[in-house]
Amino acid sequence: MKKRIFDYNAEDFRLANREQLVEAIRHSEGRTIMVENVISLTPPIDMVSGPELAAAFGADMITLNCLDVFDPKIRILSEDPDEHITIEQVKKLTGRLIGCNLEPIPEGVTHLAVGRTVTEQTVKRAVEIGLDYVMLTGNPGNCVSQETILKAITLVRSIAPELLIVAGKMHAGGVGNDYDLSIVPAFAEAGADVMMFPAAYTTPGVSPELSQQMMSAVHKTNMLGMLAIGTSQEGATESYIEQVAITAKAAGADIVHIGDGGYSGIAPPENIVRLGLTLRGRRHQFKRMANRR
């Protein structure tokens, strides 16, 4: 199967192994989109979940933020405030790659539910409930560093050899921004498939030139590179999203991520569409939006 990721349908995603997914993203030439969604918040549109909105507006990969893998519920907006859907239902309804954030917090951080952190049990559980990938990163204030992420990559890869691993930081996360590229080879050696950095114009000092250096360092290790909009600027103007998308493509990003800081745990749908139109053009963007079979 030599399809590009935006040509995949639900059956393709179901059958593809880790190596095939990596190659499908690589062959997409910078046109892969990841949309993040806080699934613990009630989504903005009634009767549909956040992941369904992400798929409808062009996501290839949907990252469930704040998912507790021991209680994996995805909220929907309905008359019943407790109504939710499961991971299995999300995969069926979206026809996309579904993953979650697992946070490699350091010792002393105790306010986070265990099901949202990186442990042997949570990694095994992520595989059991059918997640296609994990993103090892940190939400604001959780003190996740590149060093704690590196340790987590080794743990995840030892437990789940076929699980796609996305790893890195998109913002300070409570310990400051970290643009040190010397750690990149270690991420690859530990088993990461994708390394993430903040996109240009999203965190202080990340220029188009620096983001290009980031992606070049990642590609030298044969990992895929991802640039992320994760500083609530995903809720900025469409013209801003377009500018970031153009610079991310020029920098060499294989995947462009748009975060969850819009209305009710997802970026404004107009911004997701703008990202897709800029990276893919109308033909491939509309195809991705329509194809969920």
Side-chain angles (χ1 to χ4, degrees):
M1 185 165 54
K2 297 231 176 188
K3 288 184 176 181
R4 297 164 298 189
I5 201 79
F6 49 81
D7 291 322
Y8 268 46
N9 58 31
E11 186 70 357
D12 294 329
F13 282 124
R14 188 182 72 81
L15 295 175
N17 60 30
R18 173 188 164 207
E19 182 181 354
Q20 289 169 327
L21 291 171
V22 168
E23 289 309 304
I25 295 169
R26 201 186 307 277
H27 291 154
S28 297
E29 298 181 290
R31 291 174 284 186
T32 302
I33 292 175
M34 177 189 288
V35 176
E36 192 164 354
N37 173 221
V38 179
I39 51 82
S40 58
L41 296 177
T42 303
I45 308 295
D46 59 295
M47 301 308 295
V48 294
S49 64
E52 288 174 89
L53 287 175
F57 287 91
D60 302 294
M61 307 171 72
I62 302 170
T63 300
L64 311 178
N65 194 11
C66 301
L67 178 79
D68 186 327
V69 296
F70 296 129
D71 188 25
K73 297 177 180 178
I74 293 90
R75 297 187 69 174
I76 64 172
L77 176 58
S78 74
E79 294 180 359
D80 180 359
D82 295 323
E83 189 169 356
H84 68 276
I85 57 178
T86 65
I87 299 294
E88 182 180 9
Q89 289 171 310
V90 162
K91 295 185 78 170
K92 182 178 180 181
L93 290 168
T94 63
R96 303 291 197 266
L97 276 183
I98 304 296
C100 81
N101 284 332
L102 286 181
E103 303 193 48
I105 56 175
E107 291 184 13
V109 176
T110 59
H111 63 271
L112 214 57
V114 173
R116 288 178 49 190
T117 67
V118 182
T119 69
E120 182 178 346
Q121 292 72 30
T122 56
V123 174
K124 289 180 178 177
R125 181 62 176 157
V127 175
E128 287 172 2
I129 62 179
L131 293 174
D132 301 301
Y133 67 92
V134 291
M135 187 154 79
L136 307 177
T137 191
N139 279 298
N142 290 341
C143 300
V144 172
S145 67
Q146 297 288 40
E147 288 71 27
T148 64
I149 293 170
L150 178 58
K151 292 178 183 177
I153 297 168
T154 301
L155 176 64
V156 174
R157 185 54 71 221
S158 69
I159 297 168
E162 278 300 309
L163 194 64
L164 202 68
I165 297 177
V166 182
K169 296 186 67 181
M170 64 182 76
H171 49 59
V175 294
N177 291 297
D178 186 349
Y179 311 142
D180 181 7
L181 301 183
S182 66
I183 202 169
V184 173
F187 271 47
E189 291 168 12
D193 300 292
V194 183
M195 187 166 184
M196 168 175 59
F197 283 101
Y201 311 124
T202 64
T203 58
V206 179
S207 63
E209 293 75 21
L210 178 55
S211 63
Q212 188 171 31
Q213 293 171 26
M214 291 167 168
M215 293 298 94
S216 178
V218 169
H219 289 150
K220 284 178 182 176
T221 69
N222 206 38
M223 285 190 293
L224 299 171
M226 185 167 88
L227 292 174
I229 309 170
T231 44
S232 290
Q233 289 161 290
E234 54 266 33
T237 61
E238 291 180 50
S239 61
Y240 170 79
I241 298 297
E242 186 172 51
Q243 184 177 8
V244 173
I246 291 168
T247 57
K249 176 71 78 74
D254 300 289
I255 305 169
V256 181
H257 158 285
I258 186 165
D260 51 40
Y263 305 120
S264 301
I266 193 167
E270 297 89 346
N271 284 358
I272 301 173
V273 171
R274 178 62 60 183
L275 180 64
L277 286 172
T278 306
L279 293 175
R280 298 176 177 140
R282 284 175 169 78
R283 174 192 169 204
H284 293 311
Q285 173 64 9
F286 293 161
K287 175 175 60 182
R288 179 76 290 176
M289 291 168 68
N291 186 359
R292 278 188 266 179
R293 38 179 211 284

Short mmCIF file of all heavy atoms in Angstrom, two decimals, residues 79-104:
data_model
loop_
_atom_site.label_atom_id
_atom_site.label_comp_id
_atom_site.label_asym_id
_atom_site.label_seq_id
_atom_site.Cartn_x
_atom_site.Cartn_y
_atom_site.Cartn_z
N GLU A 79 -28.58 16.39 25.70
CA GLU A 79 -29.39 16.69 26.88
C GLU A 79 -28.91 15.94 28.11
O GLU A 79 -29.18 16.35 29.24
CB GLU A 79 -30.86 16.34 26.59
CG GLU A 79 -31.49 17.22 25.51
CD GLU A 79 -32.94 16.86 25.25
OE1 GLU A 79 -33.43 15.91 25.89
OE2 GLU A 79 -33.57 17.54 24.42
N ASP A 80 -28.21 14.84 27.89
CA ASP A 80 -27.64 14.06 28.99
C ASP A 80 -26.20 14.50 29.20
O ASP A 80 -25.33 14.22 28.36
CB ASP A 80 -27.70 12.57 28.66
CG ASP A 80 -27.11 11.70 29.78
OD1 ASP A 80 -26.64 12.26 30.79
OD2 ASP A 80 -27.11 10.47 29.61
N PRO A 81 -25.88 15.19 30.29
CA PRO A 81 -24.52 15.71 30.49
C PRO A 81 -23.47 14.61 30.63
O PRO A 81 -22.27 14.88 30.51
CB PRO A 81 -24.63 16.53 31.77
CG PRO A 81 -25.82 15.97 32.48
CD PRO A 81 -26.77 15.53 31.41
N ASP A 82 -23.90 13.38 30.91
CA ASP A 82 -22.95 12.28 31.07
C ASP A 82 -22.78 11.46 29.79
O ASP A 82 -22.04 10.47 29.79
CB ASP A 82 -23.42 11.35 32.20
CG ASP A 82 -23.42 12.04 33.55
OD1 ASP A 82 -22.50 12.85 33.80
OD2 ASP A 82 -24.34 11.80 34.35
N GLU A 83 -23.44 11.85 28.71
CA GLU A 83 -23.35 11.05 27.49
C GLU A 83 -21.95 11.16 26.89
O GLU A 83 -21.35 12.23 26.84
CB GLU A 83 -24.39 11.52 26.46
CG GLU A 83 -24.48 10.59 25.25
CD GLU A 83 -25.68 10.90 24.37
OE1 GLU A 83 -26.48 11.79 24.74
OE2 GLU A 83 -25.80 10.26 23.32
N HIS A 84 -21.45 10.03 26.43
CA HIS A 84 -20.11 9.99 25.85
C HIS A 84 -20.04 8.86 24.84
O HIS A 84 -20.95 8.04 24.71
CB HIS A 84 -19.06 9.77 26.94
CG HIS A 84 -19.14 8.40 27.57
ND1 HIS A 84 -20.02 8.11 28.60
CD2 HIS A 84 -18.47 7.25 27.30
CE1 HIS A 84 -19.88 6.84 28.93
NE2 HIS A 84 -18.95 6.29 28.17
N ILE A 85 -18.94 8.84 24.09
CA ILE A 85 -18.67 7.74 23.18
C ILE A 85 -17.31 7.15 23.51
O ILE A 85 -16.51 7.75 24.22
CB ILE A 85 -18.76 8.17 21.70
CG1 ILE A 85 -17.79 9.31 21.39
CG2 ILE A 85 -20.17 8.53 21.32
CD1 ILE A 85 -17.78 9.72 19.93
N THR A 86 -17.03 5.97 22.96
CA THR A 86 -15.81 5.23 23.27
C THR A 86 -14.76 5.44 22.17
O THR A 86 -15.05 5.98 21.11
CB THR A 86 -16.11 3.74 23.38
OG1 THR A 86 -16.53 3.26 22.08
CG2 THR A 86 -17.20 3.47 24.40
N ILE A 87 -13.55 4.96 22.44
CA ILE A 87 -12.49 5.00 21.44
C ILE A 87 -12.91 4.22 20.20
O ILE A 87 -12.70 4.66 19.06
CB ILE A 87 -11.17 4.43 22.00
CG1 ILE A 87 -10.69 5.24 23.20
CG2 ILE A 87 -10.10 4.37 20.91
CD1 ILE A 87 -10.29 6.66 22.88
N GLU A 88 -13.48 3.06 20.40
CA GLU A 88 -13.93 2.23 19.27
C GLU A 88 -14.93 2.99 18.41
O GLU A 88 -14.86 2.97 17.17
CB GLU A 88 -14.56 0.94 19.79
CG GLU A 88 -15.01 0.00 18.69
CD GLU A 88 -15.63 -1.28 19.22
OE1 GLU A 88 -15.87 -1.37 20.46
OE2 GLU A 88 -15.90 -2.20 18.41
N GLN A 89 -15.87 3.69 19.04
CA GLN A 89 -16.86 4.47 18.29
C GLN A 89 -16.21 5.64 17.57
O GLN A 89 -16.56 5.94 16.42
CB GLN A 89 -17.96 4.97 19.25
CG GLN A 89 -18.87 3.87 19.74
CD GLN A 89 -19.81 4.36 20.85
OE1 GLN A 89 -19.37 4.99 21.83
NE2 GLN A 89 -21.10 4.09 20.69
N VAL A 90 -15.25 6.30 18.23
CA VAL A 90 -14.56 7.43 17.59
C VAL A 90 -13.84 6.97 16.33
O VAL A 90 -13.89 7.64 15.29
CB VAL A 90 -13.58 8.08 18.59
CG1 VAL A 90 -12.55 8.93 17.85
CG2 VAL A 90 -14.32 8.94 19.58
N LYS A 91 -13.17 5.84 16.40
CA LYS A 91 -12.45 5.34 15.23
C LYS A 91 -13.42 5.01 14.10
O LYS A 91 -13.15 5.29 12.92
CB LYS A 91 -11.62 4.12 15.61
CG LYS A 91 -10.51 4.45 16.61
CD LYS A 91 -9.60 3.27 16.89
CE LYS A 91 -8.62 3.06 15.77
NZ LYS A 91 -7.59 2.06 16.12
N LYS A 92 -14.56 4.44 14.45
CA LYS A 92 -15.56 4.12 13.43
C LYS A 92 -16.18 5.37 12.83
O LYS A 92 -16.39 5.45 11.61
CB LYS A 92 -16.64 3.23 14.05
CG LYS A 92 -17.72 2.79 13.06
CD LYS A 92 -18.73 1.88 13.72
CE LYS A 92 -19.81 1.44 12.73
NZ LYS A 92 -20.82 0.56 13.39
N LEU A 93 -16.45 6.37 13.64
CA LEU A 93 -17.13 7.58 13.18
C LEU A 93 -16.21 8.52 12.41
O LEU A 93 -16.68 9.28 11.56
CB LEU A 93 -17.72 8.32 14.37
CG LEU A 93 -18.91 7.66 15.07
CD1 LEU A 93 -19.21 8.33 16.40
CD2 LEU A 93 -20.15 7.67 14.17
N THR A 94 -14.91 8.46 12.69
CA THR A 94 -14.00 9.40 12.05
C THR A 94 -13.22 8.80 10.89
O THR A 94 -12.88 9.50 9.94
CB THR A 94 -12.97 9.96 13.06
OG1 THR A 94 -12.16 8.90 13.56
CG2 THR A 94 -13.68 10.66 14.22
N GLY A 95 -12.88 7.52 10.97
CA GLY A 95 -12.04 6.91 9.95
C GLY A 95 -10.65 7.50 9.88
O GLY A 95 -10.04 7.58 8.81
N ARG A 96 -10.11 7.90 11.03
CA ARG A 96 -8.81 8.54 11.10
C ARG A 96 -7.89 7.82 12.08
O ARG A 96 -8.30 6.95 12.83
CB ARG A 96 -8.95 10.01 11.54
CG ARG A 96 -9.85 10.85 10.65
CD ARG A 96 -9.25 11.11 9.28
NE ARG A 96 -9.92 12.21 8.63
CZ ARG A 96 -10.94 12.09 7.79
NH1 ARG A 96 -11.42 10.89 7.51
NH2 ARG A 96 -11.50 13.16 7.24
N LEU A 97 -6.62 8.25 12.08
CA LEU A 97 -5.69 7.80 13.11
C LEU A 97 -6.05 8.49 14.42
O LEU A 97 -6.16 9.73 14.47
CB LEU A 97 -4.25 8.16 12.75
CG LEU A 97 -3.46 7.24 11.82
CD1 LEU A 97 -2.05 7.77 11.69
CD2 LEU A 97 -3.46 5.81 12.30
N ILE A 98 -6.19 7.70 15.49
CA ILE A 98 -6.57 8.25 16.78
C ILE A 98 -5.47 7.96 17.80
O ILE A 98 -5.03 6.82 17.98
CB ILE A 98 -7.89 7.62 17.29
CG1 ILE A 98 -9.02 7.82 16.25
CG2 ILE A 98 -8.28 8.23 18.64
CD1 ILE A 98 -9.40 9.26 16.00
N GLY A 99 -5.02 9.02 18.46
CA GLY A 99 -4.01 8.87 19.50
C GLY A 99 -4.37 9.71 20.71
O GLY A 99 -5.41 10.37 20.76
N CYS A 100 -3.50 9.70 21.70
CA CYS A 100 -3.73 10.53 22.88
C CYS A 100 -2.41 11.07 23.41
O CYS A 100 -1.33 10.55 23.10
CB CYS A 100 -4.45 9.75 23.98
SG CYS A 100 -3.40 8.67 24.98
N ASN A 101 -2.50 12.12 24.20
CA ASN A 101 -1.36 12.63 24.94
C ASN A 101 -1.14 11.77 26.17
O ASN A 101 -2.08 11.50 26.93
CB ASN A 101 -1.58 14.07 25.39
CG ASN A 101 -1.45 15.07 24.28
OD1 ASN A 101 -0.73 14.84 23.32
ND2 ASN A 101 -2.14 16.19 24.39
N LEU A 102 0.09 11.33 26.39
CA LEU A 102 0.50 10.78 27.67
C LEU A 102 1.65 11.63 28.16
O LEU A 102 2.61 11.88 27.43
CB LEU A 102 0.93 9.32 27.53
CG LEU A 102 -0.18 8.28 27.32
CD1 LEU A 102 0.42 6.88 27.22
CD2 LEU A 102 -1.22 8.34 28.43
N GLU A 103 1.56 12.07 29.41
CA GLU A 103 2.51 13.07 29.90
C GLU A 103 3.58 12.44 30.80
O GLU A 103 3.26 11.86 31.83
CB GLU A 103 1.75 14.17 30.65
CG GLU A 103 0.68 14.83 29.77
CD GLU A 103 0.13 16.10 30.36
OE1 GLU A 103 0.93 16.95 30.78
OE2 GLU A 103 -1.10 16.25 30.38
N PRO A 104 4.84 12.56 30.40
CA PRO A 104 5.94 12.04 31.21
C PRO A 104 6.34 13.03 32.30
O PRO A 104 7.36 13.73 32.20
CB PRO A 104 7.06 11.82 30.19
CG PRO A 104 6.78 12.79 29.10
CD PRO A 104 5.30 13.05 29.09
#
